[in-house]
Amino acid sequence: MAETGFQPVSGFDLPRFAGIASFMRLPMIGLDDPRLPQVDIGLIGLPWDAGTTNRPGPRHGPRQVRDMSTMIRAQHGVSGVRPFETVNCADLGDVPPNPADLSDAMDRITKAVTRVHKAGILPVCVGGDHLCTLPVLRALAADAPLGLIHFDSHTDLFHSYFGGSMYTHGTPFRRAVEEGLLDPARMIQIGIRGTAYDSEDRAFAAEQGIRIVTIEELFDRGLKDVMAEARQIAGTGPTYVSYDIDFVDPAYAPGTGTPEVGGPNAFQALQVVRELAGVNIAGADLVEVSPPFDGSGGTAFLAASILFEMLCIIAPALAASRRVD
Amino acid sequence: MAETGFQPVSGFDLPRFAGIASFMRLPMIGLDDPRLPQVDIGLIGLPWDAGTTNRPGPRHGPRQVRDMSTMIRAQHGVSGVRPFETVNCADLGDVPPNPADLSDAMDRITKAVTRVHKAGILPVCVGGDHLCTLPVLRALAADAPLGLIHFDSHTDLFHSYFGGSMYTHGTPFRRAVEEGLLDPARMIQIGIRGTAYDSEDRAFAAEQGIRIVTIEELFDRGLKDVMAEARQIAGTGPTYVSYDIDFVDPAYAPGTGTPEVGGPNAFQALQVVRELAGVNIAGADLVEVSPPFDGSGGTAFLAASILFEMLCIIAPALAASRRVD
Amino acid sequence: MAETGFQPVSGFDLPRFAGIASFMRLPMIGLDDPRLPQVDIGLIGLPWDAGTTNRPGPRHGPRQVRDMSTMIRAQHGVSGVRPFETVNCADLGDVPPNPADLSDAMDRITKAVTRVHKAGILPVCVGGDHLCTLPVLRALAADAPLGLIHFDSHTDLFHSYFGGSMYTHGTPFRRAVEEGLLDPARMIQIGIRGTAYDSEDRAFAAEQGIRIVTIEELFDRGLKDVMAEARQIAGTGPTYVSYDIDFVDPAYAPGTGTPEVGGPNAFQALQVVRELAGVNIAGADLVEVSPPFDGSGGTAFLAASILFEMLCIIAPALAASRRVD
Amino acid sequence: MAETGFQPVSGFDLPRFAGIASFMRLPMIGLDDPRLPQVDIGLIGLPWDAGTTNRPGPRHGPRQVRDMSTMIRAQHGVSGVRPFETVNCADLGDVPPNPADLSDAMDRITKAVTRVHKAGILPVCVGGDHLCTLPVLRALAADAPLGLIHFDSHTDLFHSYFGGSMYTHGTPFRRAVEEGLLDPARMIQIGIRGTAYDSEDRAFAAEQGIRIVTIEELFDRGLKDVMAEARQIAGTGPTYVSYDIDFVDPAYAPGTGTPEVGGPNAFQALQVVRELAGVNIAGADLVEVSPPFDGSGGTAFLAASILFEMLCIIAPALAASRRVD
Amino acid sequence: MAETGFQPVSGFDLPRFAGIASFMRLPMIGLDDPRLPQVDIGLIGLPWDAGTTNRPGPRHGPRQVRDMSTMIRAQHGVSGVRPFETVNCADLGDVPPNPADLSDAMDRITKAVTRVHKAGILPVCVGGDHLCTLPVLRALAADAPLGLIHFDSHTDLFHSYFGGSMYTHGTPFRRAVEEGLLDPARMIQIGIRGTAYDSEDRAFAAEQGIRIVTIEELFDRGLKDVMAEARQIAGTGPTYVSYDIDFVDPAYAPGTGTPEVGGPNAFQALQVVRELAGVNIAGADLVEVSPPFDGSGGTAFLAASILFEMLCIIAPALAASRRVD
Amino acid sequence: MAETGFQPVSGFDLPRFAGIASFMRLPMIGLDDPRLPQVDIGLIGLPWDAGTTNRPGPRHGPRQVRDMSTMIRAQHGVSGVRPFETVNCADLGDVPPNPADLSDAMDRITKAVTRVHKAGILPVCVGGDHLCTLPVLRALAADAPLGLIHFDSHTDLFHSYFGGSMYTHGTPFRRAVEEGLLDPARMIQIGIRGTAYDSEDRAFAAEQGIRIVTIEELFDRGLKDVMAEARQIAGTGPTYVSYDIDFVDPAYAPGTGTPEVGGPNAFQALQVVRELAGVNIAGADLVEVSPPFDGSGGTAFLAASILFEMLCIIAPALAASRRVD
């Protein structure tokens, strides 16, 4: 049972438009806060987008997601899960980025997430662009490679851009495989679509044994069938969940830098997360929300809703595993 | 057959961007107009949102719906119904609200709708927030409780907010049941979703026998099946139809104060209305269109399209019942 | 095999936000350019909207589509087709419109497209409003009537507007049939929906034998079944494809002047184009993108994605037919 | 003293967001209304923009100005003038335009304004683009040429566009002079700025003796000094006032089709109107408000404020002249 | 000298887009925080707008001002004042509003500000609409009436609205005078403009001896001269400063509910605050920022800049007065 | 006299919304184009913003400026200068940026501008963020330091950010002085305002003898007086003009990443450029236009207007100097 001090402020007490905006209105507990050891799940902002190859802006993502997440309430509408009462959740603040130095910025993320990880906290990260995932994986997979369930319209498996740049938001999973942070046999990428430069990324996936599910396959087979396969691929080992908001159709999530038309709707965007129940989740992220391309906040509200779905899967599993321990 | 004087201006004669905007370009007939007794269906604006607990703005709804409704033409595309030739429809103007006095504002609505009701006019109200429905019900159910078919993402069945405030847009149907304005056995709420504070509203529904259809059930069973059940629950008695625009997914209806992702699309939003054929409709509303959150007018245009669907169901039924009389 | 000189600039070399925006980043080859005879498919802008009866703006369409089309890459994600390597594609620029003289403007389009047509180039036009299609058909059907596969929410088959005006974006296909540019027996209109003035357009269609598929029929039967019928109706003769962006639901394509709610989603918007494989396409257009009603560019990006789907159908067929020749 | 029936609805009684939007919340009196002969000043919408050479949209101007004009109250803040109590003002509705036929559209305007003029009503027109002014002048100057005080960033004195088109929003005053509707010796154009095609317009002005005041001269001499000259040029004869909203700097009035940076601010935009006191105004217009380029309504609110300033000058003069009569 | 713990986060260390947004990036110190007694100046959010008579939204003001205030740095550009090093400043959070009960909401504000006041903290409040000022004055003027320097385009001195409602954002200063919270002889209202209902407010001002400076007088005399008079009127007694953002021209501050065109520019908006040096300021507010009407945040950034100017005047004076003590 | 081939397309021939958008509708002449040696002034896009420390987006600047620059005509409204007939102007395209490698990106700019410079072309660059200026100066000042006239709200003279990052848009002029690219004694920075981190930048300026003119001084003395001083400081030696769009007040130029309220208006923004007549301009730039923060294009239109003013100063001077040669 979660500590009372870790409850979000209720909209019945303080209207949702009032108060300082933390993720889900949870207590703000910095990495030096004495309450840190009590935290079970830590929401962490990664306001960094130096890997963006086209339209920038995800550096503003965490703040807008915090703002819109004040509209999230305490209980899941279908399952009745109350994640904040199940385990202790907190907003751990943002990792301070260095927008002017790509390498330094990645190190900062790795260090901060390593610290969180070593404190026994399961990190749920809010980007930032998809390159953010690489330094997070360096922190979480320092000992052994992780499985990956990856929702996206792009594979992000390219070798390099612009005449040799190895670190962009189109390359993180290529790097992660090369660095041994992910186990290709336990990787699945779901929702892939849009025009392609060439087949280099898919050739790499085929060579490594990474499973790619295109949007056509996803719609043909149905979400439940594909997610059953995803659970099987991930198996029982620790698995990372990476959710790029451009997985969702841009009518539902226009606030992103590299949209691809023809994706899932918002209902489906939530359903795939519900189907993660049973996966041994070691960490998760939600990336590529770009506020300058959706001032309305609708994309960020969808992102917050997806994050809550994640918490409703992770929190009970975490509580159960600890009871076992 | 409707009087010639009650026809909307045609876009073939006066382009849709021209002319003063009344609902559906219908004649404007105030409550003191001598033509009032000839009106069969009265479109009424309720520009009031003092019950809004989060993002305000529905007070601006009627004017934006009027503006966008100028793009509605005279004939239903599928059924061929021409509602304005079937019965006499008119824009009765707005009920003058008091934004600074909640109790006075509700009384004003009840009085105006009572007057319309007593004139034998079937009211179709355009909100305003969902608290507007309560004073409308007080006018229409003064003699006997009504049935309710309610499209929404929220139940609006809560007891109170903010330490005891009984009248907000989250409480109207709780109050209406308590006041005997609605018959719980003839109530159905469709499309319920999103995160929840707790289960208080659903416990009340269960206790009272109010039927709740979640979005998951709606999508699993299909619209036609659920609507068949709705017609059965409503039965043959007089029934009120209340349509909160946040029933629809926010990608289609972003202009609302408390959106919940993962709802029906616009095609489905219209289909549920078509399935109301056969219901004994005593009045209807469309609420929670909030222009400050959708300056494009897309939400209001969807609202106008839904209102036209309602008219195409109500008008023939009304004409038929009068022929019988 | 396409000439090297006709390749688009790659986003790996020049980021997508950089460089002057031509359609798909293709070379710009004006009608007086010596390379014109080498072009196989010519993308042509028709920045003209004097036929618009309601909300204006499609005159700005070509430029915004060019801008957003810089996000299109070289290869189709599913079929692997690389149209720019298959045949020579180019941006032929805009036909200079006369916004102040409707008749002169139509003549300018007919002359320019005639010149392109006589140069053996297959034109893919980007509007502009739907009246643009009429002068294009005058150029392409000068010798014999064409078949038509038409995606739209409106039939555009009306006789006249505003007391006798014969040339508006609601009349082009009526005129084209009257002028013998289209063969009614080989015409199909798909996606028709929305409120109607009356049944005049449908009566004309019935009388002429033009096939109309409403949105209800499209969703009931499924896209593949309807498109099989479309291919059958078009037969083996030369066929024009006209795609009004308001075919798509306004949640996906808000940037248009006469939206109708309840249409296909973006995935479906692309699928219908894929199902054109096998049709003998003589020319195509994408019209009614109105930037003032979607400053975000999302509608234009969808339009660019649809245009790329068209190219991936047309280019291989063209290459095959020429190999046969 | 104005009739009671011609008073606008007060915001103390009906909040400004409520009610159907007519100009200044005045009574709506169509040209066939029996009360027409009682009207002294008639606000008329001219929703037509077929003369626009660049960004379209002023056809939507009258409706947005009506909407925002509901924020105008009954009394001038400085002079204390209450124009609606001084003479009878009314919203005469829109002249039905023909967006598809330039010549027919102009005739419709001339006919309607002639009818208003002959009824003894002083017309204050709300555009529409600047070409609207030409048919208005044809109505008002049928007997004798008028003087002109013209606020604009452009002279609109060009001969023709696009290879000979004589009727665009860049030519109305050239045509009006040629047609003998304006007396060049009594014409002044104030605020001219921006880049120029060439000097053809200024050469025409010089040749005809039309006075042009550039923005540099306006700022150097000051508004009061320039307006004194304007009053002197206009003299005692009947004078038309034409106000193009692009006279004002686009930071204050972005909603227009051909903005020119570096213009007057909003305070100055009102001041020049106040300095019209003493001019024998025979009619006036406010044109080029283009809602698609300012969804916020700020430009339309400025336009409504300018219109109210006009009424506060015209109404007392009209009342005084009638007392004299 | 301020405590180190009360310094804002520097943009050199943490980029301005990163981190949880508190006012000026100051430490968040709730009313129950043990550090409260160390605070000298407390920034307090009042997210409440139930007094709004027209366009709602200021309830969202404090959060957007917090967000945009992260762009404010530590030092005044001209005076070199570093307010956060001069005294201890903090973000005290928001007073929990009750959007559904006007009377309860005002009591909550009065209680919270009383508590702050009694803790010896000078409150700088961020609204919220202008009715918020009344309960703040009830807290600060409990013992003796205050002077008032009031920047606004409206007097807010009306008696009542909508048939007798006494508490709206158009009445707070009338109520405050009636309740003895303000000394009319020490009141000045600057920037008054726009259309008026009637002269009731000005008659009250004249009767009470309240000084009103219209925008015409402000521009004619110049800011410095008017502000010298303001300092003289306020005298040496404790004075409240109330700044309605609609004092500024809507081109600079569009995000407000009741704009009036023709106001000061942003440079002038800051200058009037600088001229407050020497006034004995007992409390201050900045109200009527309405984010739904300016999603860009420009209005909120101007508000944050004005608040920083206030702090640069208040902090040194406070430090000086304490040194004297 | 300029070659005929270098004339922009006239809006009388091709409406401004039509055609592919190059800067000022000038011919597009890449660096490998055989016509390159004929070019006198080259407009160059620098779509790069990796130095941005806060809100990103100037990478999209060149394209939006190109788009809006199609509204610029051929002749200066006041001076009558026709720059495109005076010398040969062309759009040289964009320097291909590397958004993922700061050092590579700067090298690319230096190389491209060096090539232009060696071809005898005077470069006018369109950013991109202000860090772009540093590699441009490395190209132009390779032989000898330049003077600088710099319009901005910030000095951009800081040493480093984020714990040592030396290359951001806050440091270019510090680096340029350190690298000997600028002569401090011939540098003037005009319009400086806003809050400050500290006085480090001003201390550096004082130490180096760089002249800083704050906005207060600019407004007090007047533009002409300050610009006279600027001309004196620049002297007769070759001088670079750098114009950051945030020099202008954000009401006029909201589309920028680090706005500071209280700046010049658009009229003044143009006047300062006119006062550059007589300066020996060796190159110029206009930077920091960020389209994601102004989708309306108003900021970019102001930028295009400023660029045209620059051309009207540079072209005649260039023509004169060549006649002398």
Side-chain angles (χ1 to χ4, degrees), chain B residues 53 89 151 214 226 238:
Chain B
T53 59
C89 300
F151 303 103
T214 65
V226 167

Side-chain angles (χ1 to χ4, degrees), chain F residues 118-141:
Chain F
K118 291 195 170 162
I121 301 170
L122 191 149
V124 175
C125 301
V126 181
D129 71 27
H130 224 150
L131 184 52
C132 292
T133 303
L134 180 61
V136 172
L137 290 174
R138 285 175 179 167
L140 299 184

Side-chain angles (χ1 to χ4, degrees), chain A residues 13-22 25 28 47-48 59-60 63 66-67 70 91 93-99 108 295, chain E residues 13-22 25 28 47-48 59-60 63 66-67 70 91 93-97 99 108 295:
Chain A
D13 299 328
L14 184 70
R16 309 208 151 273
F17 50 81
I20 290 169
S22 61
R25 311 185 102 192
M28 293 169 272
W48 182 63
R59 65 177 70 181
H60 297 287
R63 191 175 291 167
R66 277 190 180 94
D67 185 1
T70 60
D91 181 336
D94 285 352
V95 177
N98 183 344
R108 291 173 182 217
Chain E
D13 299 327
L14 184 69
R16 308 207 152 272
F17 51 80
I20 290 168
S22 62
R25 312 186 101 192
M28 293 168 270
W48 182 63
R59 64 177 71 181
H60 297 287
R63 190 176 290 168
R66 277 192 179 94
D67 185 2
T70 60
D91 181 335
D94 285 353
V95 176
R108 291 174 182 216

Side-chain angles (χ1 to χ4, degrees), chain A residues 6-31:
Chain A
F6 288 89
Q7 296 314 302
V9 182
S10 167
F12 275 151
D13 299 328
L14 184 70
R16 309 208 151 273
F17 50 81
I20 290 169
S22 61
F23 286 125
M24 314 275 169
R25 311 185 102 192
L26 287 166
M28 293 169 272
I29 295 182
L31 297 195

